[in-house]
Amino acid sequence: MKFTKFVTAAAVSLMMAAGGASADEKKPVVGLVMKSLANEFFKDMLEGAKEHEAKRGDYVLKAVGMKNESDIESQINAVENFITQGVDAIVIAPADSRAMVPPLKRAMEAGITVINFDVSLDPKAKEQNGVELAFVGPDNRGGAKLAGEALAAKLGKGAKVVILEGNPGADNALQRKLGFEDAIKEGGLELLDSRTAHWETEEANTVATNMLTAHPDIQGIMAANDSMAIGVVKALESAGKAGEIQVVGFDNIPAVGPMLKDGRLLATVDQFGRDMAANAIDQALEVVKGAPEPQGWVKTPIELVTGN
Amino acid sequence: MDSSAVKIAPQSPVENASSQVSSLLVVKDIRKSFGGVKALRGVTFDLRPGEVHALVGENGAGKSTLIKILSGSFPADSGEIRLENAAYAPAGPRDAKAKGLQVVHQEFNLLPHLSVAENISFEALPRNRFGFLDKTRMNARARQALDAIGLSDVDVKSPVKDLGIAHRQLVEIARALQSESRILILDEPTATLTDRETERLFDIVRSIQAKGVAVVFVSHHLNEVFEICDRVTVLRSGETIITEDIADTSPDRVVAHMVGRRLAAEMAQKVDHDHIGDSALRLDCLQVPQSPHSDGVSFDLHYGEILGIAGLVGAGRTEILRTIFGLQKPVSGQMLREGAVTEITGPDKAISAGIGFVTEDRKDEGLILDMSIAANSSLAALDQVSSNGFLLGGRERNLAEELGAGLNLKCGTVKDAASSLSGGNQQKVVLAKWLARQPKVLLLDEPTRGVDVGAKAEIYAILREQAAKGVALLVVSSELPELITLCDRILVLADHKIQGELHHTEFSEEKILRLAYRREEEGTEE
Amino acid sequence: MTAAVTDTAGKPGSKGFSIRAIMREAGIGLALIGLIIVFSLASEHFLTANNITNILTQITINLILAVGMTFVILIGGIDLSVGSVLALAAVVAGKAISMPGLGPAEAIALAVLAAMVAGTLCGILNGVVSAWWGLPSFIITLGMLNIARGAALQISDARTIYSFPVEFNNFGSLTVWGLPVVFLVALGLALVAWLVLSRTVFGRLIYGLGNSEEAVRLAGHSVFWLKVAAFTICGFTAGIAAIIYMARLNIASPIAGSGFELNAIAAVIIGGTSLSGGRGSVLGTLLGAFIIGVLANGLILLGLSDFMRQMITGVVIIVAVILDHYRAKLTKG
């Protein structure tokens, strides 16, 4: 079955080459579908991919970004456009782990190599649609657990913590929350409250301030991304509790650099977003060249970042 | 006087109306309050099949409230209403219609972008067996409804917005009449109609009257009441004053009942025509955008003069006023203010040239209804009641009170909202707004539309006083008696052309009408 | 059409408040007091000096945006772009403040100026385009929402700008007698707006415009400039809000402020200003902003889930508008 798929893919690219215009078209075309480019993380990722394209020079990159994190509609359209254009591979960071399965199935049926990165497609949805697709990406849950463990190590058993979640319904938000919860369980911490601040600095500032009022005994705060962590740090500064209460974040965006340095932020997690798309493209190109498709979960590196 | 009237009309004593078998509708002592305001304080009248029954009274007398109760908009607080001897308390407008009571309102309820046919059938659009709109049936039904009232010249497929105001009114009537109705209430049906259209309406009323439908006719025009109605009920301050047979009363008596005082003399006050001065405004071949004639219109307006413009709806009267005031650009020609060519590109320029404009549409253009009388009075003269951009409340109130006193404005305080006033007093506020600027030229479009008899006389007096002070007034009106009473000179307009000019010595309705219909009669044979 | 309207719109020239004007705002005020009582009973933390300071800080940005929005809604318009304009102004100011070779004072002054100019320009653009072509402001400002957001992302290359002078940041958390200075700025702005709307010719005409554009035009006033002015004020307040945002969080994020426009509109509407224009007041807007802020704070203190919180906020908005509908009816006549 896999062989047939490959043959079809080859046939499609042959047809394209036959009907195509220039010699340049012989280079495989990779369609990169990302989430919101208004998010620094994906912006970095795109730049990483562009550098990668220039460095390798043996493929053509077509990248598409979305308006916002939950713009499923545009992602589906992007995938369908790539199918129409007959690209060789689609590399996608799905905006929704379920809704994106059917369009990707259509892409595979059209003989296109599909690589799923950043956020894993839902296993159940994949099963229902009869799709087998590996996931190339970081372990959000594992990463959050690393950050959580750092906090637990600093605070010790029985310390009281709260979580700031990402957008309800987003898979990475859920995974990070689960990772935090894993660390809380293993580290013997006490979870007082867990709320969303929709990935946003200002909202995180407000929510954290109000949580501090409701629970004056908070010792540690886990934020599911660094934008929210910044808001938390500012809330602590306003409350005069900077340094007293420990904060961890996720993503390692440049803006938290100074905070890590002076200890206002205990730790964050780097998932090397810049390389993530590039790694996935490498995988895709190998499959296009004839290598077997990856299986299961190809984990990409994550690393805990602290001030020291 | 009231008791004698009852004696004169023994067949309609209100006291035992309910016992009469011949009555279709009996209204007995109904009352209604809104908050602390008593809108109805005991209204009693009855309606017989096949009669045209006039309901008259000054604005605020309770006519609208009564109609709204009858048509189911809201219930009465107390009292009794019986329709064909059964208690009548409509749950809502739909219920009232189902019981055979139709109202044609003063404000149109037509949907402007839909066709005439769609409007006529709107409450029960015909469907074919697939559930789709059955256009053929709808159009046929509309055609029939329009033909029934003699409106054969209206295309049922054309959108309502393309019709003139008069035709919209008639379409509204056609809509009301197409369902089986026993009672038809016409609320100020002639307010926007010309005399010819009014005659047409009356023919329609007579024909439905002959079918046994009872018609309630609400109007400010007593001549119409006396022409078409069988009986008249006068309301004043929410109470029934009297119900009389038309044959047994006179317009003067009805007016006396309405206002509680005699005004006839005031209405016919002698006019002094000897105060006319130099040219204030001259139009020289001014062609308005709507006019097909490149030579436009030319006339002179003098200080101290009241110049009337008569003509049918659509003759281009309002357009001239709007062009003078800078609301639209003339195509060609020029305007001379005191002999000097003046280009007026907007209301601000007009105002600084000493021109004021009382528009036809008081509610949307003349007033800011939700704002206070004081705020409305100062709207065109805010510089007089402010300093460095800050309003001076005291000065504003003084201005409004002064102006109000000069115009005999009846209101609680000048802080009350303009919407709380009757039509006549609202119009006085519009006048106050312009008089605050002491204009040299005042343009007035239908200055007494929707104003009751008493206030009408007062407004005439105000305008005459302004003329006597040397202000030049240009008045557009559809009411010929108004122009005849008020003006020194009348221009008759038809199809954007001045068909003739009449001096006050030669005024007569007949002459004006002959000029107004001139072009139409030349063009088409009727 | 209500008598109450006269009090806010028709007689701003009169000294002080009339009984009816007080009655009018009293409805919203009572709702606010009710909320405060409920939260005080339910949470020991609610009525503490600290929490009150927090609430004041938290409503500041919304209050500033809502004050500007009041002008636009009073003329019967709407400005959907304020959130994005805030982000654009913040990013422009962020770029300005990080310009090399500036002393902290100069950098801050430049940033404040840059944010105000950016916000004001967006407002002027909104006003001129919608007033000149007579287009619905809903559509024009929806366009501006995207333009400003795109510009913010473009200018910042989608990156959060950070590291501002310490003095700037200090201003964000400064308090005077327990009152956050940023809130005092917002309050001052609201006071000025109230004065302008109730005591000046311009304010009178803003109300007039919302009630009857034709009447204002026919009285010789320039409807075009009035509309432009209302949108300009709204843009200007978005610029001020951007400065407060930066001072509080010490970052300028191109994705800041998304959804802020809806909160600002909600504050204005809860405050009793009519969406169709001509009726309302800054005092109402102030109370509306308080209701939203107190609700957000109190519901977290009560420990309600995020989703319950969202639902309750929605219910409160609708109930407030229904109450306003009845209040308008009651004060009629």
PDB file of all heavy atoms in Angstrom, chain C residues 187-202:
ATOM      1  N   LEU C 187      -9.316  58.307  34.849  1.00  0.00           N
ATOM      2  CA  LEU C 187     -10.395  59.063  35.492  1.00  0.00           C
ATOM      3  C   LEU C 187     -10.372  60.515  35.011  1.00  0.00           C
ATOM      4  O   LEU C 187     -11.411  61.115  34.732  1.00  0.00           O
ATOM      5  CB  LEU C 187     -10.236  58.988  37.006  1.00  0.00           C
ATOM      6  CG  LEU C 187     -11.489  59.247  37.828  1.00  0.00           C
ATOM      7  CD1 LEU C 187     -12.536  58.187  37.527  1.00  0.00           C
ATOM      8  CD2 LEU C 187     -11.153  59.245  39.316  1.00  0.00           C
ATOM      9  N   GLY C 188      -9.146  61.056  34.930  1.00  0.00           N
ATOM     10  CA  GLY C 188      -9.011  62.428  34.440  1.00  0.00           C
ATOM     11  C   GLY C 188      -9.553  62.554  33.024  1.00  0.00           C
ATOM     12  O   GLY C 188     -10.273  63.492  32.691  1.00  0.00           O
ATOM     13  N   LEU C 189      -9.223  61.560  32.216  1.00  0.00           N
ATOM     14  CA  LEU C 189      -9.699  61.552  30.830  1.00  0.00           C
ATOM     15  C   LEU C 189     -11.229  61.506  30.784  1.00  0.00           C
ATOM     16  O   LEU C 189     -11.871  62.206  30.001  1.00  0.00           O
ATOM     17  CB  LEU C 189      -9.123  60.313  30.146  1.00  0.00           C
ATOM     18  CG  LEU C 189      -8.616  60.449  28.724  1.00  0.00           C
ATOM     19  CD1 LEU C 189      -7.568  61.532  28.629  1.00  0.00           C
ATOM     20  CD2 LEU C 189      -8.074  59.112  28.248  1.00  0.00           C
ATOM     21  N   ALA C 190     -11.797  60.666  31.659  1.00  0.00           N
ATOM     22  CA  ALA C 190     -13.257  60.545  31.712  1.00  0.00           C
ATOM     23  C   ALA C 190     -13.878  61.881  32.133  1.00  0.00           C
ATOM     24  O   ALA C 190     -14.898  62.298  31.587  1.00  0.00           O
ATOM     25  CB  ALA C 190     -13.663  59.430  32.675  1.00  0.00           C
ATOM     26  N   LEU C 191     -13.235  62.541  33.071  1.00  0.00           N
ATOM     27  CA  LEU C 191     -13.754  63.824  33.552  1.00  0.00           C
ATOM     28  C   LEU C 191     -13.748  64.860  32.428  1.00  0.00           C
ATOM     29  O   LEU C 191     -14.733  65.574  32.216  1.00  0.00           O
ATOM     30  CB  LEU C 191     -12.911  64.305  34.735  1.00  0.00           C
ATOM     31  CG  LEU C 191     -13.412  65.571  35.418  1.00  0.00           C
ATOM     32  CD1 LEU C 191     -14.683  65.252  36.189  1.00  0.00           C
ATOM     33  CD2 LEU C 191     -12.354  66.146  36.346  1.00  0.00           C
ATOM     34  N   VAL C 192     -12.625  64.903  31.711  1.00  0.00           N
ATOM     35  CA  VAL C 192     -12.541  65.850  30.595  1.00  0.00           C
ATOM     36  C   VAL C 192     -13.628  65.527  29.568  1.00  0.00           C
ATOM     37  O   VAL C 192     -14.337  66.411  29.078  1.00  0.00           O
ATOM     38  CB  VAL C 192     -11.139  65.795  29.941  1.00  0.00           C
ATOM     39  CG1 VAL C 192     -11.127  66.587  28.647  1.00  0.00           C
ATOM     40  CG2 VAL C 192     -10.089  66.316  30.903  1.00  0.00           C
ATOM     41  N   ALA C 193     -13.781  64.235  29.266  1.00  0.00           N
ATOM     42  CA  ALA C 193     -14.784  63.831  28.279  1.00  0.00           C
ATOM     43  C   ALA C 193     -16.178  64.230  28.754  1.00  0.00           C
ATOM     44  O   ALA C 193     -17.008  64.697  27.972  1.00  0.00           O
ATOM     45  CB  ALA C 193     -14.722  62.328  28.053  1.00  0.00           C
ATOM     46  N   TRP C 194     -16.426  64.066  30.047  1.00  0.00           N
ATOM     47  CA  TRP C 194     -17.737  64.422  30.583  1.00  0.00           C
ATOM     48  C   TRP C 194     -17.972  65.929  30.430  1.00  0.00           C
ATOM     49  O   TRP C 194     -19.049  66.362  30.007  1.00  0.00           O
ATOM     50  CB  TRP C 194     -17.827  64.018  32.053  1.00  0.00           C
ATOM     51  CG  TRP C 194     -19.096  64.453  32.706  1.00  0.00           C
ATOM     52  CD1 TRP C 194     -20.335  63.913  32.525  1.00  0.00           C
ATOM     53  CD2 TRP C 194     -19.255  65.549  33.602  1.00  0.00           C
ATOM     54  NE1 TRP C 194     -21.254  64.602  33.258  1.00  0.00           N
ATOM     55  CE2 TRP C 194     -20.629  65.616  33.934  1.00  0.00           C
ATOM     56  CE3 TRP C 194     -18.381  66.484  34.166  1.00  0.00           C
ATOM     57  CZ2 TRP C 194     -21.141  66.568  34.801  1.00  0.00           C
ATOM     58  CZ3 TRP C 194     -18.899  67.433  35.030  1.00  0.00           C
ATOM     59  CH2 TRP C 194     -20.257  67.462  35.340  1.00  0.00           C
ATOM     60  N   LEU C 195     -16.942  66.708  30.749  1.00  0.00           N
ATOM     61  CA  LEU C 195     -17.061  68.163  30.598  1.00  0.00           C
ATOM     62  C   LEU C 195     -17.346  68.534  29.147  1.00  0.00           C
ATOM     63  O   LEU C 195     -18.224  69.337  28.849  1.00  0.00           O
ATOM     64  CB  LEU C 195     -15.763  68.836  31.043  1.00  0.00           C
ATOM     65  CG  LEU C 195     -15.672  69.193  32.519  1.00  0.00           C
ATOM     66  CD1 LEU C 195     -14.300  69.754  32.836  1.00  0.00           C
ATOM     67  CD2 LEU C 195     -16.754  70.229  32.863  1.00  0.00           C
ATOM     68  N   VAL C 196     -16.562  67.925  28.262  1.00  0.00           N
ATOM     69  CA  VAL C 196     -16.721  68.246  26.843  1.00  0.00           C
ATOM     70  C   VAL C 196     -18.134  67.905  26.372  1.00  0.00           C
ATOM     71  O   VAL C 196     -18.791  68.695  25.706  1.00  0.00           O
ATOM     72  CB  VAL C 196     -15.670  67.482  26.006  1.00  0.00           C
ATOM     73  CG1 VAL C 196     -16.019  67.531  24.531  1.00  0.00           C
ATOM     74  CG2 VAL C 196     -14.292  68.064  26.248  1.00  0.00           C
ATOM     75  N   LEU C 197     -18.606  66.719  26.771  1.00  0.00           N
ATOM     76  CA  LEU C 197     -19.910  66.285  26.270  1.00  0.00           C
ATOM     77  C   LEU C 197     -21.053  67.072  26.889  1.00  0.00           C
ATOM     78  O   LEU C 197     -22.062  67.322  26.242  1.00  0.00           O
ATOM     79  CB  LEU C 197     -20.097  64.791  26.529  1.00  0.00           C
ATOM     80  CG  LEU C 197     -19.366  63.886  25.537  1.00  0.00           C
ATOM     81  CD1 LEU C 197     -19.516  62.433  25.945  1.00  0.00           C
ATOM     82  CD2 LEU C 197     -19.907  64.088  24.129  1.00  0.00           C
ATOM     83  N   SER C 198     -20.904  67.467  28.151  1.00  0.00           N
ATOM     84  CA  SER C 198     -22.055  68.084  28.799  1.00  0.00           C
ATOM     85  C   SER C 198     -21.992  69.606  28.803  1.00  0.00           C
ATOM     86  O   SER C 198     -23.011  70.252  28.948  1.00  0.00           O
ATOM     87  CB  SER C 198     -22.184  67.566  30.234  1.00  0.00           C
ATOM     88  OG  SER C 198     -21.037  67.928  30.965  1.00  0.00           O
ATOM     89  N   ARG C 199     -20.822  70.172  28.631  1.00  0.00           N
ATOM     90  CA  ARG C 199     -20.724  71.614  28.808  1.00  0.00           C
ATOM     91  C   ARG C 199     -20.311  72.386  27.566  1.00  0.00           C
ATOM     92  O   ARG C 199     -20.229  73.607  27.622  1.00  0.00           O
ATOM     93  CB  ARG C 199     -19.719  71.940  29.923  1.00  0.00           C
ATOM     94  CG  ARG C 199     -20.080  71.369  31.273  1.00  0.00           C
ATOM     95  CD  ARG C 199     -21.282  72.063  31.843  1.00  0.00           C
ATOM     96  NE  ARG C 199     -21.940  71.256  32.849  1.00  0.00           N
ATOM     97  CZ  ARG C 199     -21.908  71.501  34.139  1.00  0.00           C
ATOM     98  NH1 ARG C 199     -21.248  72.518  34.592  1.00  0.00           N
ATOM     99  NH2 ARG C 199     -22.557  70.729  34.975  1.00  0.00           N
ATOM    100  N   THR C 200     -19.970  71.699  26.504  1.00  0.00           N
ATOM    101  CA  THR C 200     -19.471  72.468  25.363  1.00  0.00           C
ATOM    102  C   THR C 200     -20.418  72.382  24.175  1.00  0.00           C
ATOM    103  O   THR C 200     -21.265  71.492  24.089  1.00  0.00           O
ATOM    104  CB  THR C 200     -18.088  71.971  24.889  1.00  0.00           C
ATOM    105  OG1 THR C 200     -18.255  70.669  24.346  1.00  0.00           O
ATOM    106  CG2 THR C 200     -17.083  71.933  26.025  1.00  0.00           C
ATOM    107  N   VAL C 201     -20.241  73.312  23.285  1.00  0.00           N
ATOM    108  CA  VAL C 201     -21.002  73.345  22.041  1.00  0.00           C
ATOM    109  C   VAL C 201     -20.729  72.053  21.264  1.00  0.00           C
ATOM    110  O   VAL C 201     -21.640  71.423  20.724  1.00  0.00           O
ATOM    111  CB  VAL C 201     -20.587  74.575  21.209  1.00  0.00           C
ATOM    112  CG1 VAL C 201     -21.156  74.499  19.813  1.00  0.00           C
ATOM    113  CG2 VAL C 201     -21.035  75.839  21.916  1.00  0.00           C
ATOM    114  N   PHE C 202     -19.458  71.659  21.243  1.00  0.00           N
ATOM    115  CA  PHE C 202     -19.093  70.443  20.532  1.00  0.00           C
ATOM    116  C   PHE C 202     -19.866  69.236  21.070  1.00  0.00           C
ATOM    117  O   PHE C 202     -20.432  68.449  20.321  1.00  0.00           O
ATOM    118  CB  PHE C 202     -17.576  70.220  20.663  1.00  0.00           C
ATOM    119  CG  PHE C 202     -17.109  68.893  20.150  1.00  0.00           C
ATOM    120  CD1 PHE C 202     -17.093  68.636  18.784  1.00  0.00           C
ATOM    121  CD2 PHE C 202     -16.696  67.901  21.022  1.00  0.00           C
ATOM    122  CE1 PHE C 202     -16.669  67.407  18.303  1.00  0.00           C
ATOM    123  CE2 PHE C 202     -16.268  66.666  20.551  1.00  0.00           C
ATOM    124  CZ  PHE C 202     -16.253  66.423  19.187  1.00  0.00           C
TER     125      PHE C 202
END
